[in-house]
Amino acid sequence: MKAPSESTASLVLQGKVQPRHLDRLAIVYVRQSTLQQLEQHRESTALQYGLAERACRLGWPRPRVSVIDDDLGCSGASAEGRPGFQRMVAEVGLGRVGLVLGFEVSRLARSCRDWYHLLEICALAGTLIADSDGVYDPALYNDRLLLGLKGTMSEAELHILKNRMHAGRQAKAQRGELFFNLPRGFVRRPGGEIALDPDEQVQASVRLVFDLFDQRRRARLSGGS
């Protein structure tokens, strides 16, 4: 079977992107799961921001392309704690969005509950969804089926990753090599022993905290107390 030609793919795309979509916003949703990923996976973040240019190539004028990056450093396991995702869903529900772009489904949601909620609202509002593979119309059965499969795979991938990380921690614990970050003021010596930080100023600060706690019976100081 021959792959669809570029001209055929262009005709299909033109059939999905209508003037009514272009009259509304194109929202680019950018997310990284942790602050560590944000620091170490800069190329991934840059690729997600680059989706704004793709929206322009699809026909949206640049002033009508909005980037939502409020959720950098937030897990996609749930919509809770993701103000950017919630704002995007609200904008779609108000009929202001013609296209939602994410680099892949896992950037938008790793929970089928949140994913299908977004699909339903997009279908009702006439909003398209795009990822690195293509542009989809959630109101069309075949597109919705494919998007549903992608969402299921994304949720399953999160479950697999969690199990893999848990198994890794268990293996380290069995070998006696599982360590956690120490509280401020303590260091781990080369032999594995835990000791106070050799910096005398750090030691004095830690002792001051405990002394104040003994006096006030609380660790947090409020103004005027």
Side-chain angles (χ1 to χ4, degrees):
M1 180 182 294
K2 292 184 178 180
S5 65
E6 185 175 348
S7 59
T8 302
S10 179
L11 287 173
V12 172
L13 188 57
Q14 289 175 10
K16 290 182 180 177
V17 180
Q18 300 289 330
R20 58 188 173 87
H21 298 119
L22 299 174
D23 287 340
R24 293 181 277 170
L25 292 175
I27 288 184
V28 174
Y29 181 75
V30 180
R31 184 184 67 81
Q32 288 283 31
S33 298
T34 64
L35 294 177
Q36 184 179 10
Q37 287 186 2
L38 183 60
E39 177 64 26
Q40 297 179 356
H41 302 167
R42 297 185 179 181
E43 186 64 27
S44 173
T45 307
L47 287 172
Q48 293 183 62
Y49 278 113
L51 291 174
E53 296 304 320
R54 186 181 176 199
C56 294
R57 291 196 299 271
L58 290 172
W60 271 265
R62 190 60 183 86
R64 213 170 290 159
V65 178
S66 176
V67 176
I68 293 182
D69 56 3
D70 305 0
D71 298 339
L72 287 172
C74 297
S75 169
S78 171
E80 294 182 7
R82 285 202 289 158
F85 182 83
Q86 295 173 15
R87 178 158 65 94
M88 178 182 68
V89 171
E91 290 291 312
V92 172
L94 291 171
R96 298 172 180 168
V97 182
L99 177 70
V100 170
L101 295 94
F103 189 70
E104 57 185 25
V105 168
S106 65
R107 296 302 91 198
L108 290 162
R110 282 195 180 273
S111 162
C112 281
R113 176 182 177 181
D114 297 332
W115 180 237
Y116 279 105
H117 180 57
L118 176 62
L119 293 186
E120 187 65 28
I121 292 179
C122 285
L124 293 173
T127 301
L128 302 175
I129 294 179
D131 62 11
S132 57
D133 295 324
V135 178
Y136 314 94
D137 185 349
L140 299 177
Y141 174 77
N142 285 337
D143 284 9
R144 191 182 181 101
L145 177 62
L146 181 56
L147 289 170
L149 289 173
K150 287 192 170 194
T152 301
M153 292 171 63
S154 177
E155 186 176 71
E157 182 185 30
L158 180 61
H159 176 73
I160 293 170
L161 288 173
K162 284 183 177 179
N163 283 347
R164 188 181 301 163
M165 293 173 64
H166 180 66
R169 284 194 296 267
Q170 281 189 319
K172 277 190 172 183
Q174 290 172 355
R175 296 194 305 268
E177 300 174 0
L178 181 63
F179 300 108
F180 297 94
N181 293 331
L182 296 175
R184 296 291 180 88
F186 294 88
V187 296
R188 196 183 305 277
R189 291 175 174 170
E193 304 89 352
I194 297 175
L196 286 172
D197 193 303
D199 189 317
E200 293 184 359
Q201 184 175 358
V202 174
Q203 292 185 23
S205 299
V206 172
R207 291 192 181 98
L208 177 61
V209 170
F210 282 99
D211 290 342
L212 289 174
F213 182 79
D214 287 338
Q215 296 173 18
R216 302 173 181 268
R217 307 312 301 169
R218 63 183 179 186
R220 183 175 180 179
L221 300 179
S222 58
S225 62

